Amino acid sequence: TEIPERINLNTASYDQVYKVFSSDSEYIMNYNTIFHNIFREQLLEIFGEGVDISAQGNGSVIAKLSNNGKDLIISGTGNMIDTWTTSENAPWYNYRKEIKNVKLEEGVTNIGRLAFYECVELVNVEITNSITKIGHSAFFKCSSLKSIEIKGNLTSIGNDAFYRCSSLEKIYVYASNSNYTADNGVLY
């Protein structure tokens, strides 16, 4: 895959590279792989400072990787992107087999579609009470995820949100949630 001429990799930030490649359908499937392989250390450093994943593109929701790519922290106020059409769109896609912990801090109001698709090593997810929506296939094939807590303000869970989470043994629904209940590991 050729790198588009309109971007200078010597001076471009990760956000600039991400915007060029994620908006160009010819490169959408390849940009994360290219930059992960070439710039792994630099990307981890930049990711440590935060990458904008807000639905509005205004920096109100930020994703940060730490602990050498094992911890993903999503912080800010408002919605994260919920329009990814493929899991490769998530900026952390090439770390999906390394991420073990995800923390969604208070203020973030949704988990976007395909957000953690195939994060096969993901074992711990901290979902705050501010989360009202879990998007379509958000945790699809998170085969190491053992439990999930559904807090009181969660009102919407997309189709296949936990599909093929083969280790998922426990779903705990807070009593304050009038929208969902769990019985013997089945969410209703």
Side-chain angles (χ1 to χ4, degrees):
T1 301
E2 286 185 34
I3 297 173
E5 293 179 23
R6 64 182 181 270
I7 191 158
N8 180 343
L9 293 178
N10 294 319
T11 59
S13 71
Y14 178 83
D15 280 343
Q16 291 168 325
V17 172
Y18 178 83
K19 285 177 183 172
V20 167
F21 278 80
S22 64
S23 65
D24 193 328
S25 62
E26 182 179 346
Y27 299 102
I28 203 162
M29 300 297 285
N30 297 313
Y31 76 95
N32 260 328
T33 302
I34 292 168
F35 292 100
H36 179 266
N37 292 338
I38 297 173
F39 301 113
R40 177 174 168 69
E41 292 305 314
Q42 293 91 334
L43 288 178
L44 278 172
E45 184 178 326
I46 292 166
F47 231 135
E49 296 170 10
V51 175
D52 181 7
I53 60 163
S54 63
Q56 298 80 15
N58 62 5
S60 61
V61 179
I62 300 293
K64 294 181 182 182
L65 275 173
S66 63
N67 194 16
N68 201 27
K70 290 182 176 75
D71 299 331
L72 177 62
I73 300 164
I74 298 175
S75 61
T77 305
N79 287 332
M80 67 185 286
I81 296 171
D82 194 34
T83 56
W84 289 322
T85 56
T86 177
S87 59
E88 287 90 350
N89 294 135
W92 53 84
Y93 175 77
N94 282 311
Y95 300 95
R96 74 191 185 285
K97 293 182 180 175
E98 299 170 41
I99 295 171
K100 292 186 177 291
N101 303 294
V102 170
K103 180 177 184 183
L104 295 129
E105 294 186 345
E106 192 67 35
V108 178
T109 56
N110 77 315
I111 299 172
R113 67 179 290 157
L114 302 165
F116 308 113
Y117 185 98
E118 288 188 335
C119 286
V120 295
E121 295 298 320
L122 181 61
V123 293
N124 182 43
V125 178
E126 291 182 42
I127 300 176
T128 64
N129 204 39
S130 62
I131 298 291
T132 60
K133 177 183 175 187
I134 297 176
H136 171 75
S137 299
F139 295 97
F140 188 96
K141 286 189 183 177
C142 290
S143 54
S144 296
L145 187 62
K146 293 184 188 278
S147 67
I148 194 83
E149 293 183 354
I150 307 296
K151 297 199 175 172
N153 288 332
L154 187 67
T155 59
S156 175
I157 300 175
N159 292 338
D160 299 327
F162 301 103
Y163 186 65
R164 297 191 64 188
C165 292
S166 55
S167 296
L168 190 59
E169 298 170 352
K170 183 176 182 190
I171 300 173
Y172 178 78
V173 179
Y174 279 54
S176 59
N177 190 309
S178 60
N179 298 295
Y180 295 99
T181 187
D183 185 26
N184 291 324
V186 179
L187 184 64
Y188 298 100

